[in-house]
Amino acid sequence: QVQLVESGGGVVQPGGSLRLSCEFSGGTFSDYAMGWFRQASGKERELAGAISWSGELTLYGDSEEGRFTVSRDDDKNMVFLQMKDLTNEDTAVYYCAAGSHVDFDSKQYEYWGQGTQVTVSS
């Protein structure tokens, strides 16, 4: 059974940077596209960034484009989300997900982590 464990969340000041990590286990990592989704209080879950199984294709949400970078390390079975220029609007629980292909739709991802809280506050 695939398991995903996120880490790296915390409190950061506006304008700061943060790097989230997700460790994959229980399957063949290179078979999966990996996504980062976020859900702010009272809002729907939305894509922050996703990367294909090959690493050649990435997707980002509109507000994340240019500020977030998703990457993967197939040797370590890990996926990362590097975030910069953070604002209060980036405060959310961030979830790691695995699926067969990159997609904006969270329903296309089969496995999910428990999430890690990111709070942007001065």
PDB file of all heavy atoms in Angstrom, residues 3-22:
ATOM      1  N   GLN A   3       2.161   4.767   0.759  1.00  0.00           N
ATOM      2  CA  GLN A   3       2.041   5.708   1.871  1.00  0.00           C
ATOM      3  C   GLN A   3       2.839   6.958   1.533  1.00  0.00           C
ATOM      4  O   GLN A   3       3.927   6.882   0.955  1.00  0.00           O
ATOM      5  CB  GLN A   3       2.542   5.085   3.163  1.00  0.00           C
ATOM      6  CG  GLN A   3       1.648   3.969   3.684  1.00  0.00           C
ATOM      7  CD  GLN A   3       2.068   3.490   5.060  1.00  0.00           C
ATOM      8  OE1 GLN A   3       3.244   3.415   5.374  1.00  0.00           O
ATOM      9  NE2 GLN A   3       1.094   3.169   5.896  1.00  0.00           N
ATOM     10  N   LEU A   4       2.284   8.090   1.927  1.00  0.00           N
ATOM     11  CA  LEU A   4       2.921   9.378   1.690  1.00  0.00           C
ATOM     12  C   LEU A   4       3.000  10.134   3.014  1.00  0.00           C
ATOM     13  O   LEU A   4       2.002  10.221   3.736  1.00  0.00           O
ATOM     14  CB  LEU A   4       2.105  10.191   0.681  1.00  0.00           C
ATOM     15  CG  LEU A   4       1.857   9.523  -0.667  1.00  0.00           C
ATOM     16  CD1 LEU A   4       0.879  10.357  -1.498  1.00  0.00           C
ATOM     17  CD2 LEU A   4       3.156   9.335  -1.431  1.00  0.00           C
ATOM     18  N   VAL A   5       4.179  10.664   3.299  1.00  0.00           N
ATOM     19  CA  VAL A   5       4.371  11.396   4.546  1.00  0.00           C
ATOM     20  C   VAL A   5       5.013  12.742   4.235  1.00  0.00           C
ATOM     21  O   VAL A   5       6.143  12.791   3.725  1.00  0.00           O
ATOM     22  CB  VAL A   5       5.254  10.612   5.533  1.00  0.00           C
ATOM     23  CG1 VAL A   5       5.462  11.428   6.805  1.00  0.00           C
ATOM     24  CG2 VAL A   5       4.626   9.258   5.853  1.00  0.00           C
ATOM     25  N   GLU A   6       4.275  13.805   4.534  1.00  0.00           N
ATOM     26  CA  GLU A   6       4.764  15.155   4.290  1.00  0.00           C
ATOM     27  C   GLU A   6       5.544  15.676   5.493  1.00  0.00           C
ATOM     28  O   GLU A   6       5.293  15.284   6.639  1.00  0.00           O
ATOM     29  CB  GLU A   6       3.604  16.123   4.019  1.00  0.00           C
ATOM     30  CG  GLU A   6       2.700  15.747   2.869  1.00  0.00           C
ATOM     31  CD  GLU A   6       1.462  15.004   3.313  1.00  0.00           C
ATOM     32  OE1 GLU A   6       1.502  14.390   4.407  1.00  0.00           O
ATOM     33  OE2 GLU A   6       0.459  15.040   2.576  1.00  0.00           O
ATOM     34  N   SER A   7       6.449  16.593   5.212  1.00  0.00           N
ATOM     35  CA  SER A   7       7.180  17.287   6.268  1.00  0.00           C
ATOM     36  C   SER A   7       7.616  18.645   5.746  1.00  0.00           C
ATOM     37  O   SER A   7       7.570  18.897   4.531  1.00  0.00           O
ATOM     38  CB  SER A   7       8.398  16.466   6.726  1.00  0.00           C
ATOM     39  OG  SER A   7       9.304  16.275   5.653  1.00  0.00           O
ATOM     40  N   GLY A   8       8.037  19.509   6.666  1.00  0.00           N
ATOM     41  CA  GLY A   8       8.573  20.801   6.267  1.00  0.00           C
ATOM     42  C   GLY A   8       7.652  21.979   6.483  1.00  0.00           C
ATOM     43  O   GLY A   8       8.051  23.119   6.246  1.00  0.00           O
ATOM     44  N   GLY A   9       6.427  21.716   6.904  1.00  0.00           N
ATOM     45  CA  GLY A   9       5.523  22.830   7.152  1.00  0.00           C
ATOM     46  C   GLY A   9       5.922  23.617   8.392  1.00  0.00           C
ATOM     47  O   GLY A   9       6.797  23.201   9.154  1.00  0.00           O
ATOM     48  N   GLY A  10       5.284  24.762   8.573  1.00  0.00           N
ATOM     49  CA  GLY A  10       5.586  25.582   9.732  1.00  0.00           C
ATOM     50  C   GLY A  10       5.089  26.995   9.540  1.00  0.00           C
ATOM     51  O   GLY A  10       4.273  27.263   8.652  1.00  0.00           O
ATOM     52  N   VAL A  11       5.600  27.883  10.362  1.00  0.00           N
ATOM     53  CA  VAL A  11       5.229  29.297  10.298  1.00  0.00           C
ATOM     54  C   VAL A  11       6.351  30.067   9.614  1.00  0.00           C
ATOM     55  O   VAL A  11       7.527  29.894   9.949  1.00  0.00           O
ATOM     56  CB  VAL A  11       4.981  29.871  11.707  1.00  0.00           C
ATOM     57  CG1 VAL A  11       4.601  31.342  11.612  1.00  0.00           C
ATOM     58  CG2 VAL A  11       3.887  29.080  12.414  1.00  0.00           C
ATOM     59  N   VAL A  12       5.989  30.888   8.663  1.00  0.00           N
ATOM     60  CA  VAL A  12       6.973  31.681   7.924  1.00  0.00           C
ATOM     61  C   VAL A  12       6.421  33.088   7.747  1.00  0.00           C
ATOM     62  O   VAL A  12       5.206  33.282   7.645  1.00  0.00           O
ATOM     63  CB  VAL A  12       7.291  31.017   6.562  1.00  0.00           C
ATOM     64  CG1 VAL A  12       6.040  30.899   5.700  1.00  0.00           C
ATOM     65  CG2 VAL A  12       8.392  31.743   5.831  1.00  0.00           C
ATOM     66  N   GLN A  13       7.291  34.058   7.713  1.00  0.00           N
ATOM     67  CA  GLN A  13       6.871  35.442   7.537  1.00  0.00           C
ATOM     68  C   GLN A  13       6.539  35.725   6.080  1.00  0.00           C
ATOM     69  O   GLN A  13       7.080  35.068   5.175  1.00  0.00           O
ATOM     70  CB  GLN A  13       7.977  36.382   8.002  1.00  0.00           C
ATOM     71  CG  GLN A  13       8.199  36.367   9.509  1.00  0.00           C
ATOM     72  CD  GLN A  13       9.173  37.441   9.951  1.00  0.00           C
ATOM     73  OE1 GLN A  13       9.935  37.977   9.159  1.00  0.00           O
ATOM     74  NE2 GLN A  13       9.133  37.767  11.235  1.00  0.00           N
ATOM     75  N   PRO A  14       5.680  36.693   5.838  1.00  0.00           N
ATOM     76  CA  PRO A  14       5.399  37.096   4.451  1.00  0.00           C
ATOM     77  C   PRO A  14       6.685  37.443   3.715  1.00  0.00           C
ATOM     78  O   PRO A  14       7.577  38.096   4.271  1.00  0.00           O
ATOM     79  CB  PRO A  14       4.509  38.324   4.621  1.00  0.00           C
ATOM     80  CG  PRO A  14       3.836  38.126   5.935  1.00  0.00           C
ATOM     81  CD  PRO A  14       4.868  37.452   6.806  1.00  0.00           C
ATOM     82  N   GLY A  15       6.768  36.980   2.489  1.00  0.00           N
ATOM     83  CA  GLY A  15       7.972  37.177   1.699  1.00  0.00           C
ATOM     84  C   GLY A  15       9.008  36.090   1.872  1.00  0.00           C
ATOM     85  O   GLY A  15      10.008  36.049   1.132  1.00  0.00           O
ATOM     86  N   GLY A  16       8.769  35.204   2.814  1.00  0.00           N
ATOM     87  CA  GLY A  16       9.723  34.142   3.088  1.00  0.00           C
ATOM     88  C   GLY A  16       9.584  32.942   2.166  1.00  0.00           C
ATOM     89  O   GLY A  16       8.744  32.924   1.253  1.00  0.00           O
ATOM     90  N   SER A  17      10.408  31.958   2.432  1.00  0.00           N
ATOM     91  CA  SER A  17      10.437  30.734   1.625  1.00  0.00           C
ATOM     92  C   SER A  17      10.292  29.523   2.532  1.00  0.00           C
ATOM     93  O   SER A  17      10.599  29.579   3.730  1.00  0.00           O
ATOM     94  CB  SER A  17      11.756  30.636   0.851  1.00  0.00           C
ATOM     95  OG  SER A  17      11.916  31.725  -0.031  1.00  0.00           O
ATOM     96  N   LEU A  18       9.843  28.432   1.917  1.00  0.00           N
ATOM     97  CA  LEU A  18       9.681  27.183   2.660  1.00  0.00           C
ATOM     98  C   LEU A  18       9.775  26.034   1.669  1.00  0.00           C
ATOM     99  O   LEU A  18       9.343  26.167   0.514  1.00  0.00           O
ATOM    100  CB  LEU A  18       8.323  27.153   3.355  1.00  0.00           C
ATOM    101  CG  LEU A  18       8.152  26.286   4.598  1.00  0.00           C
ATOM    102  CD1 LEU A  18       9.115  26.720   5.705  1.00  0.00           C
ATOM    103  CD2 LEU A  18       6.711  26.376   5.096  1.00  0.00           C
ATOM    104  N   ARG A  19      10.330  24.934   2.119  1.00  0.00           N
ATOM    105  CA  ARG A  19      10.439  23.752   1.265  1.00  0.00           C
ATOM    106  C   ARG A  19       9.724  22.579   1.941  1.00  0.00           C
ATOM    107  O   ARG A  19      10.073  22.188   3.049  1.00  0.00           O
ATOM    108  CB  ARG A  19      11.900  23.379   1.038  1.00  0.00           C
ATOM    109  CG  ARG A  19      12.097  22.253   0.017  1.00  0.00           C
ATOM    110  CD  ARG A  19      13.494  21.694   0.119  1.00  0.00           C
ATOM    111  NE  ARG A  19      13.884  20.922  -1.049  1.00  0.00           N
ATOM    112  CZ  ARG A  19      14.817  19.958  -1.015  1.00  0.00           C
ATOM    113  NH1 ARG A  19      15.431  19.683   0.121  1.00  0.00           N
ATOM    114  NH2 ARG A  19      15.132  19.301  -2.117  1.00  0.00           N
ATOM    115  N   LEU A  20       8.732  22.062   1.244  1.00  0.00           N
ATOM    116  CA  LEU A  20       8.013  20.890   1.733  1.00  0.00           C
ATOM    117  C   LEU A  20       8.592  19.634   1.099  1.00  0.00           C
ATOM    118  O   LEU A  20       9.015  19.651  -0.054  1.00  0.00           O
ATOM    119  CB  LEU A  20       6.527  20.998   1.389  1.00  0.00           C
ATOM    120  CG  LEU A  20       5.805  22.245   1.883  1.00  0.00           C
ATOM    121  CD1 LEU A  20       4.322  22.172   1.504  1.00  0.00           C
ATOM    122  CD2 LEU A  20       5.972  22.438   3.370  1.00  0.00           C
ATOM    123  N   SER A  21       8.577  18.558   1.878  1.00  0.00           N
ATOM    124  CA  SER A  21       9.054  17.269   1.399  1.00  0.00           C
ATOM    125  C   SER A  21       7.965  16.226   1.582  1.00  0.00           C
ATOM    126  O   SER A  21       7.145  16.315   2.501  1.00  0.00           O
ATOM    127  CB  SER A  21      10.305  16.829   2.162  1.00  0.00           C
ATOM    128  OG  SER A  21      11.342  17.769   2.045  1.00  0.00           O
ATOM    129  N   CYS A  22       7.975  15.242   0.709  1.00  0.00           N
ATOM    130  CA  CYS A  22       7.028  14.136   0.809  1.00  0.00           C
ATOM    131  C   CYS A  22       7.783  12.841   0.533  1.00  0.00           C
ATOM    132  O   CYS A  22       8.397  12.696  -0.531  1.00  0.00           O
ATOM    133  CB  CYS A  22       5.893  14.318  -0.176  1.00  0.00           C
ATOM    134  SG  CYS A  22       4.751  12.917  -0.284  1.00  0.00           S
TER     135      CYS A  22
END
